[in-house]
Amino acid sequence: MIRPAFFAATLFLALAAAAQSPAPEPAPPGKMIDLGGYRIHLYCTGRGKQTVVLSPGGGDFSFDWYLVQHPLQTTARVCSYDRADSAWSDPGPQPFTLRQEAFELQSALKLAGEKPPYILVGQSIGGLVVRTFAEAYPEQTSGMVLVDALSPDSTLGYYGKLVRVRDLA
């Protein structure tokens, strides 16, 4: 009877000690690019003539592209990023729009010294971001890959209402 009580008390003390010392947050694998009062995380790897830019879907992050970025880096320069207020990136200006994200991505790539033109790859809402980027910066875009991307005419729930994506841009 004493052994189970001793085991339970030891386990309780170990859990209490672990709860008091939180694990350190992991460091970002890429660079934190200052966009004038807030920073965007940009992770670029590999070498090659072409730079591929990976735009995450809604609720996703740069590290969600690992299984794509890792093999691509053997033949191309590959960059993934965290949009403002996600993963390692700081909160940015509000309201947050597709144009704002495209501007932040273009600015971060330029400040990091990444050379255009880019092949843009966008998944889900990231597809809308790369379409907006290509429209705003056609001279910096050499191609686009849309992965299960939303159409600008799609509707999304936004603050309890259905709104066309085009109207949110």
Side-chain angles (χ1 to χ4, degrees):
M1 207 56 165
I2 293 175
R3 282 189 183 168
F6 177 75
F7 177 73
T10 303
L11 181 61
F12 175 76
L13 291 173
L15 290 173
Q20 291 178 356
S21 56
E25 290 186 21
K31 296 178 184 176
M32 298 301 294
I33 308 296
D34 189 335
L35 297 181
Y38 64 104
R39 300 169 306 152
I40 296 293
H41 173 244
L42 182 68
Y43 180 50
C44 298
T45 59
R47 291 186 182 163
K49 287 184 174 185
Q50 194 68 54
T51 300
V52 178
V53 178
L54 306 170
S55 183
D60 292 339
F61 313 105
S62 57
F63 50 84
D64 288 316
W65 282 111
Y66 177 81
L67 294 176
V68 174
Q69 186 163 354
H70 185 70
L72 273 181
Q73 71 185 359
T74 61
T75 58
R77 182 77 171 153
V78 187
C79 298
S80 56
Y81 69 99
D82 296 313
R83 64 181 43 96
D85 204 19
S86 69
W88 288 285
S89 292
D90 299 333
Q94 296 293 322
F96 192 68
T97 64
L98 295 171
R99 286 187 190 99
Q100 178 68 26
E101 184 171 342
F103 170 76
E104 290 172 352
L105 176 58
Q106 189 274 341
S107 298
L109 290 165
K110 182 178 180 180
L111 290 168
E114 299 300 328
K115 304 286 187 248
Y118 309 110
I119 295 175
L120 306 169
V121 181
Q123 192 271 324
S124 185
I125 203 158
L128 294 170
V129 174
V130 300
R131 288 172 79 158
T132 304
F133 185 106
E135 185 179 310
Y137 310 102
E139 71 288 347
Q140 295 182 32
T141 305
S142 63
M144 246 189 315
V145 178
L146 303 175
V147 182
D148 195 26
L150 293 175
S151 162
D153 293 318
S154 298
T155 55
L156 295 174
Y158 187 71
Y159 291 105
K161 296 192 306 194
L162 287 177
V163 180
R164 275 186 25 198
V165 171
R166 184 181 310 278
D167 298 333
L168 295 174

PDB file of all heavy atoms in Angstrom, residues 2 8 18 30 32-33 49 54 56 59 63-64 82 85 87 90 105 109 113 119 145 148 150 161 166:
ATOM      1  N   ILE A   2       2.012   1.199   0.608  1.00  0.00           N
ATOM      2  CA  ILE A   2       2.878   2.362   0.674  1.00  0.00           C
ATOM      3  C   ILE A   2       3.494   2.646  -0.703  1.00  0.00           C
ATOM      4  O   ILE A   2       3.621   3.794  -1.097  1.00  0.00           O
ATOM      5  CB  ILE A   2       3.979   2.174   1.746  1.00  0.00           C
ATOM      6  CG1 ILE A   2       3.326   2.160   3.112  1.00  0.00           C
ATOM      7  CG2 ILE A   2       5.017   3.272   1.649  1.00  0.00           C
ATOM      8  CD1 ILE A   2       4.266   1.878   4.242  1.00  0.00           C
ATOM      9  N   ALA A   8       2.641   7.597  -6.620  1.00  0.00           N
ATOM     10  CA  ALA A   8       1.717   8.672  -6.985  1.00  0.00           C
ATOM     11  C   ALA A   8       2.257  10.032  -6.538  1.00  0.00           C
ATOM     12  O   ALA A   8       2.188  11.018  -7.278  1.00  0.00           O
ATOM     13  CB  ALA A   8       0.341   8.419  -6.384  1.00  0.00           C
ATOM     14  N   ALA A  18       7.632  20.059 -13.698  1.00  0.00           N
ATOM     15  CA  ALA A  18       7.648  20.271 -15.151  1.00  0.00           C
ATOM     16  C   ALA A  18       6.716  21.409 -15.546  1.00  0.00           C
ATOM     17  O   ALA A  18       7.010  22.172 -16.469  1.00  0.00           O
ATOM     18  CB  ALA A  18       7.268  18.993 -15.875  1.00  0.00           C
ATOM     19  N   GLY A  30      14.532  30.287 -40.090  1.00  0.00           N
ATOM     20  CA  GLY A  30      14.927  31.267 -41.103  1.00  0.00           C
ATOM     21  C   GLY A  30      15.302  32.605 -40.506  1.00  0.00           C
ATOM     22  O   GLY A  30      15.695  32.703 -39.346  1.00  0.00           O
ATOM     23  N   MET A  32      14.322  36.639 -39.543  1.00  0.00           N
ATOM     24  CA  MET A  32      13.245  37.541 -39.175  1.00  0.00           C
ATOM     25  C   MET A  32      13.504  38.850 -39.924  1.00  0.00           C
ATOM     26  O   MET A  32      14.498  39.532 -39.659  1.00  0.00           O
ATOM     27  CB  MET A  32      13.202  37.757 -37.665  1.00  0.00           C
ATOM     28  CG  MET A  32      12.924  36.479 -36.871  1.00  0.00           C
ATOM     29  SD  MET A  32      11.363  35.686 -37.295  1.00  0.00           S
ATOM     30  CE  MET A  32      10.185  36.900 -36.720  1.00  0.00           C
ATOM     31  N   ILE A  33      12.634  39.168 -40.875  1.00  0.00           N
ATOM     32  CA  ILE A  33      12.817  40.336 -41.733  1.00  0.00           C
ATOM     33  C   ILE A  33      11.992  41.492 -41.185  1.00  0.00           C
ATOM     34  O   ILE A  33      10.772  41.394 -41.068  1.00  0.00           O
ATOM     35  CB  ILE A  33      12.385  40.029 -43.185  1.00  0.00           C
ATOM     36  CG1 ILE A  33      13.058  38.754 -43.707  1.00  0.00           C
ATOM     37  CG2 ILE A  33      12.638  41.226 -44.082  1.00  0.00           C
ATOM     38  CD1 ILE A  33      14.553  38.834 -43.809  1.00  0.00           C
ATOM     39  N   LYS A  49      19.048  28.359 -60.182  1.00  0.00           N
ATOM     40  CA  LYS A  49      18.775  29.542 -60.984  1.00  0.00           C
ATOM     41  C   LYS A  49      17.425  30.145 -60.639  1.00  0.00           C
ATOM     42  O   LYS A  49      17.220  31.333 -60.747  1.00  0.00           O
ATOM     43  CB  LYS A  49      18.808  29.189 -62.469  1.00  0.00           C
ATOM     44  CG  LYS A  49      20.172  28.947 -63.015  1.00  0.00           C
ATOM     45  CD  LYS A  49      20.101  28.715 -64.498  1.00  0.00           C
ATOM     46  CE  LYS A  49      21.489  28.620 -65.090  1.00  0.00           C
ATOM     47  NZ  LYS A  49      21.436  28.516 -66.549  1.00  0.00           N
ATOM     48  N   LEU A  54       6.882  29.553 -51.499  1.00  0.00           N
ATOM     49  CA  LEU A  54       5.769  28.732 -51.024  1.00  0.00           C
ATOM     50  C   LEU A  54       4.878  29.535 -50.083  1.00  0.00           C
ATOM     51  O   LEU A  54       5.336  29.999 -49.039  1.00  0.00           O
ATOM     52  CB  LEU A  54       6.315  27.501 -50.301  1.00  0.00           C
ATOM     53  CG  LEU A  54       7.323  26.653 -51.088  1.00  0.00           C
ATOM     54  CD1 LEU A  54       7.971  25.614 -50.181  1.00  0.00           C
ATOM     55  CD2 LEU A  54       6.672  26.004 -52.281  1.00  0.00           C
ATOM     56  N   PRO A  56       1.631  29.546 -47.604  1.00  0.00           N
ATOM     57  CA  PRO A  56       0.824  28.573 -46.860  1.00  0.00           C
ATOM     58  C   PRO A  56      -0.675  28.825 -46.958  1.00  0.00           C
ATOM     59  O   PRO A  56      -1.124  29.933 -47.233  1.00  0.00           O
ATOM     60  CB  PRO A  56       1.298  28.768 -45.420  1.00  0.00           C
ATOM     61  CG  PRO A  56       1.727  30.192 -45.353  1.00  0.00           C
ATOM     62  CD  PRO A  56       2.296  30.507 -46.717  1.00  0.00           C
ATOM     63  N   GLY A  59      -4.264  29.149 -41.696  1.00  0.00           N
ATOM     64  CA  GLY A  59      -3.964  28.407 -40.479  1.00  0.00           C
ATOM     65  C   GLY A  59      -2.698  27.572 -40.576  1.00  0.00           C
ATOM     66  O   GLY A  59      -2.345  26.866 -39.638  1.00  0.00           O
ATOM     67  N   PHE A  63       6.633  25.827 -41.791  1.00  0.00           N
ATOM     68  CA  PHE A  63       7.093  24.451 -41.592  1.00  0.00           C
ATOM     69  C   PHE A  63       6.127  23.414 -42.153  1.00  0.00           C
ATOM     70  O   PHE A  63       6.486  22.250 -42.313  1.00  0.00           O
ATOM     71  CB  PHE A  63       7.425  24.162 -40.127  1.00  0.00           C
ATOM     72  CG  PHE A  63       6.359  24.546 -39.148  1.00  0.00           C
ATOM     73  CD1 PHE A  63       5.296  23.705 -38.879  1.00  0.00           C
ATOM     74  CD2 PHE A  63       6.447  25.761 -38.476  1.00  0.00           C
ATOM     75  CE1 PHE A  63       4.324  24.067 -37.961  1.00  0.00           C
ATOM     76  CE2 PHE A  63       5.478  26.126 -37.558  1.00  0.00           C
ATOM     77  CZ  PHE A  63       4.407  25.276 -37.299  1.00  0.00           C
ATOM     78  N   ASP A  64       4.909  23.801 -42.511  1.00  0.00           N
ATOM     79  CA  ASP A  64       3.994  22.879 -43.176  1.00  0.00           C
ATOM     80  C   ASP A  64       4.485  22.539 -44.585  1.00  0.00           C
ATOM     81  O   ASP A  64       4.037  21.558 -45.172  1.00  0.00           O
ATOM     82  CB  ASP A  64       2.576  23.463 -43.249  1.00  0.00           C
ATOM     83  CG  ASP A  64       1.899  23.471 -41.893  1.00  0.00           C
ATOM     84  OD1 ASP A  64       2.002  22.466 -41.170  1.00  0.00           O
ATOM     85  OD2 ASP A  64       1.260  24.485 -41.561  1.00  0.00           O
ATOM     86  N   ASP A  82       6.022  32.810 -42.891  1.00  0.00           N
ATOM     87  CA  ASP A  82       4.872  32.854 -41.986  1.00  0.00           C
ATOM     88  C   ASP A  82       4.229  34.220 -42.147  1.00  0.00           C
ATOM     89  O   ASP A  82       4.886  35.244 -41.963  1.00  0.00           O
ATOM     90  CB  ASP A  82       5.314  32.655 -40.530  1.00  0.00           C
ATOM     91  CG  ASP A  82       5.928  31.281 -40.301  1.00  0.00           C
ATOM     92  OD1 ASP A  82       5.327  30.289 -40.757  1.00  0.00           O
ATOM     93  OD2 ASP A  82       7.001  31.206 -39.684  1.00  0.00           O
ATOM     94  N   ASP A  85       1.425  37.653 -37.863  1.00  0.00           N
ATOM     95  CA  ASP A  85       0.662  37.140 -36.721  1.00  0.00           C
ATOM     96  C   ASP A  85       0.470  35.628 -36.759  1.00  0.00           C
ATOM     97  O   ASP A  85      -0.482  35.110 -36.176  1.00  0.00           O
ATOM     98  CB  ASP A  85      -0.693  37.849 -36.595  1.00  0.00           C
ATOM     99  CG  ASP A  85      -1.238  37.803 -35.160  1.00  0.00           C
ATOM    100  OD1 ASP A  85      -0.431  37.569 -34.229  1.00  0.00           O
ATOM    101  OD2 ASP A  85      -2.443  38.002 -34.974  1.00  0.00           O
ATOM    102  N   ALA A  87       2.800  31.779 -36.480  1.00  0.00           N
ATOM    103  CA  ALA A  87       4.065  31.114 -36.149  1.00  0.00           C
ATOM    104  C   ALA A  87       5.062  32.133 -35.591  1.00  0.00           C
ATOM    105  O   ALA A  87       4.789  32.766 -34.594  1.00  0.00           O
ATOM    106  CB  ALA A  87       4.605  30.347 -37.337  1.00  0.00           C
ATOM    107  N   ASP A  90       5.551  38.473 -36.384  1.00  0.00           N
ATOM    108  CA  ASP A  90       4.860  39.411 -35.497  1.00  0.00           C
ATOM    109  C   ASP A  90       3.511  39.808 -36.090  1.00  0.00           C
ATOM    110  O   ASP A  90       3.320  39.731 -37.304  1.00  0.00           O
ATOM    111  CB  ASP A  90       5.700  40.693 -35.332  1.00  0.00           C
ATOM    112  CG  ASP A  90       7.062  40.450 -34.705  1.00  0.00           C
ATOM    113  OD1 ASP A  90       7.203  39.473 -33.945  1.00  0.00           O
ATOM    114  OD2 ASP A  90       7.970  41.247 -34.991  1.00  0.00           O
ATOM    115  N   LEU A 105       5.159  39.995 -48.434  1.00  0.00           N
ATOM    116  CA  LEU A 105       5.983  38.930 -49.005  1.00  0.00           C
ATOM    117  C   LEU A 105       7.010  39.509 -49.970  1.00  0.00           C
ATOM    118  O   LEU A 105       8.199  39.177 -49.897  1.00  0.00           O
ATOM    119  CB  LEU A 105       5.093  37.900 -49.696  1.00  0.00           C
ATOM    120  CG  LEU A 105       5.816  36.762 -50.422  1.00  0.00           C
ATOM    121  CD1 LEU A 105       6.717  35.990 -49.468  1.00  0.00           C
ATOM    122  CD2 LEU A 105       4.789  35.832 -51.067  1.00  0.00           C
ATOM    123  N   LEU A 109      11.083  39.347 -49.322  1.00  0.00           N
ATOM    124  CA  LEU A 109      11.980  38.735 -50.303  1.00  0.00           C
ATOM    125  C   LEU A 109      13.045  39.729 -50.763  1.00  0.00           C
ATOM    126  O   LEU A 109      14.235  39.392 -50.844  1.00  0.00           O
ATOM    127  CB  LEU A 109      11.184  38.216 -51.503  1.00  0.00           C
ATOM    128  CG  LEU A 109      10.290  36.999 -51.237  1.00  0.00           C
ATOM    129  CD1 LEU A 109       9.284  36.808 -52.366  1.00  0.00           C
ATOM    130  CD2 LEU A 109      11.125  35.748 -51.019  1.00  0.00           C
ATOM    131  N   GLY A 113      17.272  39.840 -49.949  1.00  0.00           N
ATOM    132  CA  GLY A 113      18.198  39.694 -51.066  1.00  0.00           C
ATOM    133  C   GLY A 113      17.856  38.551 -52.013  1.00  0.00           C
ATOM    134  O   GLY A 113      18.702  38.127 -52.803  1.00  0.00           O
ATOM    135  N   ILE A 119       8.932  31.628 -58.956  1.00  0.00           N
ATOM    136  CA  ILE A 119       7.838  30.696 -59.210  1.00  0.00           C
ATOM    137  C   ILE A 119       7.043  30.674 -57.909  1.00  0.00           C
ATOM    138  O   ILE A 119       7.571  30.319 -56.849  1.00  0.00           O
ATOM    139  CB  ILE A 119       8.338  29.282 -59.551  1.00  0.00           C
ATOM    140  CG1 ILE A 119       9.111  29.290 -60.863  1.00  0.00           C
ATOM    141  CG2 ILE A 119       7.159  28.304 -59.628  1.00  0.00           C
ATOM    142  CD1 ILE A 119       9.752  27.967 -61.216  1.00  0.00           C
ATOM    143  N   VAL A 145       1.957  28.041 -59.332  1.00  0.00           N
ATOM    144  CA  VAL A 145       1.379  26.730 -59.116  1.00  0.00           C
ATOM    145  C   VAL A 145       0.325  26.901 -58.030  1.00  0.00           C
ATOM    146  O   VAL A 145       0.627  27.379 -56.929  1.00  0.00           O
ATOM    147  CB  VAL A 145       2.436  25.690 -58.669  1.00  0.00           C
ATOM    148  CG1 VAL A 145       1.785  24.341 -58.404  1.00  0.00           C
ATOM    149  CG2 VAL A 145       3.549  25.568 -59.706  1.00  0.00           C
ATOM    150  N   ASP A 148      -4.846  23.242 -54.690  1.00  0.00           N
ATOM    151  CA  ASP A 148      -6.144  23.259 -54.009  1.00  0.00           C
ATOM    152  C   ASP A 148      -6.501  24.688 -53.592  1.00  0.00           C
ATOM    153  O   ASP A 148      -6.944  24.945 -52.474  1.00  0.00           O
ATOM    154  CB  ASP A 148      -6.116  22.311 -52.803  1.00  0.00           C
ATOM    155  CG  ASP A 148      -7.492  22.000 -52.260  1.00  0.00           C
ATOM    156  OD1 ASP A 148      -8.461  22.068 -53.035  1.00  0.00           O
ATOM    157  OD2 ASP A 148      -7.604  21.695 -51.060  1.00  0.00           O
ATOM    158  N   LEU A 150      -8.197  28.482 -53.491  1.00  0.00           N
ATOM    159  CA  LEU A 150      -9.522  29.088 -53.530  1.00  0.00           C
ATOM    160  C   LEU A 150      -9.651  29.987 -54.752  1.00  0.00           C
ATOM    161  O   LEU A 150      -8.686  30.600 -55.197  1.00  0.00           O
ATOM    162  CB  LEU A 150      -9.748  29.943 -52.285  1.00  0.00           C
ATOM    163  CG  LEU A 150      -9.835  29.221 -50.950  1.00  0.00           C
ATOM    164  CD1 LEU A 150      -9.925  30.228 -49.822  1.00  0.00           C
ATOM    165  CD2 LEU A 150     -11.022  28.293 -50.922  1.00  0.00           C
ATOM    166  N   LYS A 161     -20.567  36.161 -41.199  1.00  0.00           N
ATOM    167  CA  LYS A 161     -21.282  36.380 -42.453  1.00  0.00           C
ATOM    168  C   LYS A 161     -20.519  35.691 -43.583  1.00  0.00           C
ATOM    169  O   LYS A 161     -19.297  35.581 -43.536  1.00  0.00           O
ATOM    170  CB  LYS A 161     -21.407  37.871 -42.778  1.00  0.00           C
ATOM    171  CG  LYS A 161     -22.230  38.643 -41.766  1.00  0.00           C
ATOM    172  CD  LYS A 161     -22.617  40.044 -42.173  1.00  0.00           C
ATOM    173  CE  LYS A 161     -21.504  40.939 -42.592  1.00  0.00           C
ATOM    174  NZ  LYS A 161     -21.853  42.356 -42.679  1.00  0.00           N
ATOM    175  N   ARG A 166     -13.232  37.858 -53.066  1.00  0.00           N
ATOM    176  CA  ARG A 166     -12.877  39.046 -53.853  1.00  0.00           C
ATOM    177  C   ARG A 166     -13.157  40.325 -53.067  1.00  0.00           C
ATOM    178  O   ARG A 166     -12.422  41.295 -53.132  1.00  0.00           O
ATOM    179  CB  ARG A 166     -13.689  39.025 -55.149  1.00  0.00           C
ATOM    180  CG  ARG A 166     -13.369  40.130 -56.104  1.00  0.00           C
ATOM    181  CD  ARG A 166     -14.234  40.050 -57.364  1.00  0.00           C
ATOM    182  NE  ARG A 166     -14.279  38.762 -58.018  1.00  0.00           N
ATOM    183  CZ  ARG A 166     -13.351  38.303 -58.867  1.00  0.00           C
ATOM    184  NH1 ARG A 166     -12.312  39.049 -59.153  1.00  0.00           N
ATOM    185  NH2 ARG A 166     -13.471  37.121 -59.430  1.00  0.00           N
TER     186      ARG A 166
END
